[in-house]
Amino acid sequence: MSKLDLEENEATMSSLKPEKVAEMYDATGELGLYLIFDNQLHFGYWDKNNPNASLSEAADRLTQIMIDKSEIRPGERFCDLGCGVGIPAIQIAKAKECFVDGITISKYQYDRARELAEEAAMSDRVRFIQSNALAIPCDDATYDGGWFLETIYHMGHREALREASRILKPGATLLIADFITGPNTAEEFKTFAKEQLHSDHLPKEDYPGLLDEAGFDLIEIDDVTESMMPFMVPKVKAGFKQYETEILQYVQREAIDGWLQVFESVCENLGYILVKAKKRVRS
Ligand SMILES: C[S@@+](CC[C@H](N)C(=O)[O-])C[C@H]1O[C@@H](n2cnc3c(N)ncnc32)[C@H](O)[C@@H]1O
């Protein structure tokens, strides 16, 4: 590799550190979030069909929307790239009768995901791997489908899409649920997100080029900001209130206030999209 190639490579490499992400999800302070989200660690989706849904019901709805978009068939192999404690992986395995490998960088999540799969009697079809999703221990073209369900912003979009392209079979569907920047995104928030939340966010306009470069054909981008962001803060407040006694066993009240501020600034600064793409058959 020439010096120029090396410099270009370094310039496009993400500055996100997987070990910092792992530390964040392993931290005890996160336990409150596992409780209020009922183990689905992503934002909720509300519309006229579920206007009064709780946070965990709306998070479940988002998983269902993603499952409905997936084209995975019975017996095929699906990869959950950033699986949390494994509830979405278990749900898609049940709904689609497929085999799922869930990848997480967090030891806490890996252990808990295995327990939850055992409790759901799904360990024969859902397997978990504690690994960096940028270097998955599997052969090229192993999977028939996959998703990044609110995870790619921790990994670096370019690198994560490159690895997804490596592990997916030609023609496989890739789904992505991701936060996006927009006109309301403050520079100060972007710095905070990078330094404190180990997250890097992009505008939706970057997606077609990134997908193309990684060898995917874009099928659709749904901007679902209005069904998600305006609802989150009141629902998170209600969730913290409901589980206050339990959460205060693990963390101080200031930690709850801190997390509420995080949700407020995420909702003020970011939008949300659902992306569907297919691994190109010939690149
Ligand atoms: C917001 S949580 C979403 C979890 C899950 N998709 C869900 O919806 O419940 C982000 C997830 O991404 C995972 N993650 C982030 N960076 C990762 C990396 N480099 N390799 C593997 N997993 C990663 C975290 O471990 C965590 O499970």
Side-chain angles (χ1 to χ4, degrees):
M1 192 181 267
S2 74
K3 187 165 177 287
L4 208 70
D5 288 344
L6 205 67
E7 276 167 8
E8 193 187 327
N9 211 27
E10 278 170 6
T12 54
M13 287 292 280
S14 158
S15 58
L16 297 164
K17 299 216 163 27
E19 62 280 10
K20 291 282 170 202
V21 177
E23 248 173 54
M24 183 171 79
Y25 284 101
D26 283 344
T28 320
E30 287 281 315
L31 283 169
L33 297 184
Y34 292 114
L35 267 177
I36 68 168
F37 281 89
D38 196 15
N39 286 324
Q40 300 239 28
L41 270 198
H42 53 252
F43 276 37
Y45 182 99
W46 289 265
D47 64 8
K48 58 181 178 357
N49 297 317
N50 68 338
N52 303 315
S54 68
L55 185 56
S56 62
E57 287 163 348
D60 201 45
R61 178 93 201 283
L62 184 69
T63 306
Q64 193 54 52
I65 290 170
M66 295 287 278
I67 292 172
D68 292 344
K69 283 177 181 285
S70 85
E71 293 176 13
I72 200 81
R73 289 179 295 218
E76 288 186 338
R77 293 188 71 182
F78 186 87
C79 191
D80 184 345
L81 297 142
C83 63
V85 292
I87 298 297
I90 294 169
Q91 285 185 207
I92 191 169
K94 277 187 182 160
K96 297 284 184 166
E97 297 177 24
C98 57
F99 292 93
V100 182
D101 286 348
I103 315 289
T104 177
I105 194 82
S106 153
K107 167 84 170 99
Y108 168 80
Q109 292 184 341
Y110 166 74
D111 290 339
R112 187 75 185 117
R114 285 166 42 126
E115 278 170 16
L116 290 171
E118 190 80 18
E119 281 168 26
M122 290 294 288
S123 305
D124 56 335
R125 276 201 282 132
V126 186
R127 207 170 58 133
F128 295 98
I129 303 168
Q130 190 194 352
S131 161
N132 185 348
L134 300 180
I136 301 169
C138 73
D139 292 338
D140 295 357
T142 293
Y143 294 99
D144 304 283
W147 67 29
F148 293 100
L149 177 39
E150 223 175 272
T151 64
I152 196 167
Y153 55 87
H154 283 312
M155 300 170 184
H157 291 73
R158 180 167 276 116
E159 296 88 333
L161 288 173
R162 192 183 301 142
E163 179 66 350
S165 180
R166 183 187 75 77
I167 65 157
L168 289 174
K169 293 180 186 168
T173 300
L174 175 69
L175 300 172
I176 308 168
D178 193 17
F179 297 110
I180 41 162
T181 57
N184 296 338
T185 313
E187 283 308 312
E188 199 187 359
F189 171 81
K190 285 194 205 166
T191 308
F192 167 78
K194 259 193 196 137
E195 289 175 358
Q196 305 297 320
L197 306 177
H198 312 293
S199 304
D200 195 9
H201 302 292
L202 303 174
K204 70 176 163 202
E205 291 73 22
D206 284 10
Y207 257 102
L210 283 169
L211 286 165
D212 183 55
E213 183 189 307
F216 289 97
D217 290 330
L218 173 62
I219 308 293
E220 61 184 21
I221 298 185
D222 289 345
D223 189 327
V224 290
T225 304
E226 290 311 312
S227 295
M228 301 185 64
M229 305 316 248
F231 299 87
M232 277 301 288
V233 171
K235 297 292 181 178
V236 171
K237 281 186 181 155
F240 275 130
K241 194 146 196 54
Q242 184 183 351
Y243 291 104
E244 194 172 59
T245 316
E246 292 90 330
I247 295 171
L248 287 175
Q249 288 173 15
Y250 302 115
V251 297
Q252 306 284 319
R253 185 168 295 281
E254 296 78 59
I256 299 184
D257 294 342
W259 273 111
L260 268 176
Q261 279 170 17
V262 169
F263 281 104
E264 273 163 7
S265 55
V266 169
C267 293
E268 272 165 28
N269 282 280
L270 298 176
Y272 206 105
I273 52 172
L274 305 180
V275 182
K276 181 169 179 172
K278 271 193 196 292
K279 166 87 185 285
R280 206 168 291 136
V281 175
R282 243 185 280 171
S283 42

